[in-house]
Amino acid sequence: MSRRRHSDDSDAGQPHKRRRTSEPSEIEERLESLICRVGEKSNSSLESNLEGLAGVLEADLPNYKSKILRILCTVARLLPEKLTVYTTLVGLLNARNYNFGGEFVEAMIRQLKECLKVNMYNEAVHLVRFLSDLVNCHVIAAPSMVAMFENFVSVTQEEDVPQVRCDWYMFAFLSSLPWVGKELYEKKDAEMDRLLSQTESYLKRRQKIHVPMLQVWTADKPHPQEEYLDCLWSQIQKLKKDRWQERHILRPYLAFDSVLCEALQHNLPPFTPPPHTEDSVYPMPRVIFRMFDYTDDPEGPVMPGSHSVERFVIEENLHCIIRSHWKERKTCAAQLLSYPGNNKIPLNYHIVEVIFAELFQLPSPPHIEVMYTTLLIELCKLQPGSLPQVLAQATEMLYMRLDTMNTTCVDRFINWFSHHLSNFQFRWSWEDWSDCLTQDLEKPKPKFVREVLEKCMRLSYHQRIIDIVPASFSVLSPANPVCIYKYGDESNRSLPGYTVALCLTIAIKNKASNDEIFSILKDVPNPNQDDDDGEGFSFNPLKIEVFVQTLLHLAAKSFSHSFSALAKFHEVFKMLAESDEGKLHVLRVVYEVWKNHPQMIAVLVDKMIRTQIVDCAAVANWIFSSELAHDFTRFYIWEILHSTIRKMNKHVLKIHKELEETKARLARQHKRRDSDDDDDDDDRSTDREDGPLEEQIERLQEKVESAQSEQKNLFLVIFQRFIMLLTEHLVRCETGGIDVFTPWYKSCIERLQQIFLQHHQIIQQYMVTLENLLFTAELDHHILAVFQQFCALQA
Amino acid sequence: AMSSGGTLSILRSDSYAELSQYRDQHFRGTRYDQERLLRKSCTLYVGNLSFYTTEEQIHELFSKSGDIKKVIMGLDKVKKTACGFCFVEYYARGDAENAMRYINGTRLDDRIIRTDWDAGFKEGRQYGRGRSGGQVRDEYRQDYDAGRGGYGKTVQCQ
């Protein structure tokens, strides 16, 4: 006997039932809108808008104080690009209402603690910066801010904590100084000097093994790829040398100085950083991406130097704008272009640099790659006379530096550039890049051009690509993506299996059933005579060859045709590919038929995994097989491998989710039963009710474990194969006395790094196994270094 | 969600992923059912394609926002050839949303393509609904479009 619960208001289907009075939420919306819009383009000055808004909010305080507090705390957390606008607003409110100022500061501290508890470190930094700027607005007393920073810096003295934890507190302190350094130094110079000296010694002793793994280029010229804390430290040191004079940040509060300095300040309560726990996950370290300096735009305003604090502030703000508006590409582009200081800084260059910084960020970009392509197109639309030229200049620079660019970043460059070109009729001055034609095809520049042309072809068609490049580039043009059918020509009739292939072709064209196919295939002899068990269904490579070649050839017309073929003859595939060798051979034949059409190979492999004709481990082994050695450094191979790993990961998550949901259902069932007035404690009926669900949970538990085991195995296979391949190369080079660092080697070792970086969360679970089984001390130091760099990322 | 926070409406704005005004008039079911399906759909309608655009090109472009489950080419009801639209179905709604945000309104085969939410493919919906067999928009348009059979059908018949 179950009772319907009264909390059924949560029915998603009838939202209109909820609100009784619309007024309070309307007012909250209006307040939120007023607050969010201040600082946008307006007929009145920012100062008068702030003054007006402060008056409105002050009047609303008696009735809507908690709502106003919530909104202001939220903008502090989520709109850091408008930091000084809102600190000024809070300053004005504090001047008018001291208690409100105090309550706001308390609410901010509560919010900061919550953020740190739930690992929201980016937002926590915004809150710390906001608090520090409140010192400039006479809301918070400088000494109490210094005290908070002292507690932050003392985290570096904690023992047995990850370095990334100390890094964050250091970053929160240093990155607030552009805003408040001057004020804090004026009031507490001795304490600040002490903090800065402690900072310096921490930065000197912290380890930086992880840095090479995160650098976009391996070369230091023309711009060094600095670790983010090192760069920030240089910027703060320079700021201090300039006596904390900072001229870029817009400070509306300066206009209100006379009002604000009358205000009473609050002291921050003593802030103890929450302790490190097992659940703490700190931000990954970063490397600062730089591609431009003042020499790149000789006509325009001077670009602030790499160690200037202005550069830091501009980049921070532009990144924040993208983070705020990533879903709305037109708004995002408009907001980026209306960043203040347009005539004093080469804004287009900053924007392009920041966008590429995100696109090339390792391990992964903050947002989906395609967003950046479309954002750049929107920017070109808004600034057609200037931005396309900056973008072309950037492309040229990136091309020039391909030799030292990390392979993963080259992948992203290829994807971006080909997609971008497809929006502009593939117009490009290819002749400017003819230098790559004289180089070995495996070198980064010709390789890049080949891959770009291949991607361009996928977005259009073969003849188009032939037409858009100069004739001299034909050596780099992609192959015509046609299928290669070995039994196609009469001249091949001496090939074993040729007659069966003909038979199959006719049968399939006549809509034969799976059974008819089986009986035709029975006649195919097995070259591995010993393995034939009479039934004819042990691993028979010739059978696989004849069937797969013929079927794929018949279905070659389109992806849909091929998918239908896989579906129709699924039974035959499953039988032929039952063993691990069978799976591998199917993949080999697919490659033989479609080696001119990598895109087709990728979609077929995807479909075969999803329909369980092959498994992920088979794909991994196939990729590292000698048959594919020729294509090993081609982009499509790694797209296939990473897609395979992602499918495996998603599969594990899906079953896990099912398990959790079923557990939740059982829990709800228990709850319902417990809340019933039924005193009839019939154990048997309880068991009967729970039985099916409990069985399901047990089955799902097994499924989860089996999937997790398959997932771990996949990674182990991949790492094992990498180690074998790289060791072979290293040994060969050493004995032959040749340089290890060939283009192939660079590509291969960076592909290994890419596995670690792209799937770091999953791989973290296997650290012990990896350390004990695969990445042991006996391993060549070149390979071990990659593992050590990875370990250093969250150390 | 944080107890003291939440988010701001200006940051919630996701206009590219919203439902458009278009509702398929042939949909079997109530307006309410249709909108419910649109809001959880993983399928997009893609329009203004060239007649020559292939499934492969569509697959390449739309894969940029996530793994594609299926592409169904729109066909002329009479000729059974491509007539300038298709359906793209993703495994995950989030991937379809990203297509709406970043692929809608960009070019494929040099044409600005348009994507919109679809309530889900049903057999028969792969055919154009224009009188001549293609899409309705190609029946009556007056302009010359080389990628879509030249002039509109009524113009051609003059």
Side-chain angles (χ1 to χ4, degrees), chain A residues 32 326 328-329 374 423 610, chain B residues 9 13 15 101-102 107:
Chain A
E32 191 181 293
W326 62 274
E328 295 281 3
R329 68 207 211 203
T374 310
N423 274 271
R610 290 185 191 273
Chain B
S9 349
S13 178
S15 62
R101 292 182 190 122
Y102 307 120
R107 291 185 191 268

Side-chain angles (χ1 to χ4, degrees), chain A residues 587-604:
Chain A
L587 290 167
R588 276 199 207 104
V589 177
V590 168
Y591 173 74
E592 288 301 319
V593 175
W594 281 116
K595 55 163 68 131
N596 289 325
H597 196 347
Q599 193 195 8
M600 175 65 97
I601 297 178
V603 303
L604 285 175

Side-chain angles (χ1 to χ4, degrees), chain B residues 68-131:
Chain B
I68 294 175
K69 189 169 177 184
K70 200 165 187 174
V71 172
I72 298 170
M73 299 298 288
L75 302 174
D76 182 299
K77 196 159 190 166
V78 175
K79 298 189 217 153
K80 303 293 199 293
T81 54
C83 69
F85 75 99
C86 75
F87 297 100
V88 176
E89 186 187 351
Y90 289 90
Y91 290 100
R93 173 153 175 113
D95 296 344
E97 285 171 356
N98 277 333
M100 290 288 287
R101 292 182 190 122
Y102 307 120
I103 301 177
N104 185 17
T106 66
R107 291 185 191 268
L108 178 58
D109 261 340
D110 302 318
R111 305 171 66 90
I112 302 268
I113 57 169
R114 195 180 60 81
T115 65
D116 198 1
W117 292 107
D118 188 80
F121 176 76
K122 290 247 171 351
E123 181 53 39
R125 295 193 63 234
Q126 71 269 46
Y127 297 114
R129 294 173 182 166
R131 258 198 196 181

Side-chain angles (χ1 to χ4, degrees), chain A residues 32 70 77 114 324 326-330 371 374 419 423 458-460 464 558-560 599 610, chain B residues 3 5-6 9 11 13-16 32 55-57 59-61 67 91 101-102 104 107 110:
Chain A
E32 191 181 293
R70 182 195 73 75
R77 188 165 49 88
E114 261 184 71
S324 292
W326 62 274
K327 293 194 297 287
E328 295 281 3
R329 68 207 211 203
K330 283 195 166 62
M371 185 278 274
T374 310
H419 188 191
N423 274 271
R458 292 198 199 186
L459 289 167
S460 57
R464 186 82 192 276
S558 75
F559 289 176
S560 286
Q599 193 195 8
R610 290 185 191 273
Chain B
S3 62
S9 349
L11 296 179
S13 178
D14 197 2
S15 62
Y16 286 89
Y32 175 76
E55 183 188 348
E56 288 71 14
Q57 286 170 276
H59 198 282
E60 175 71 13
L61 180 61
D67 290 339
Y91 290 100
R101 292 182 190 122
Y102 307 120
N104 185 17
R107 291 185 191 268
D110 302 318

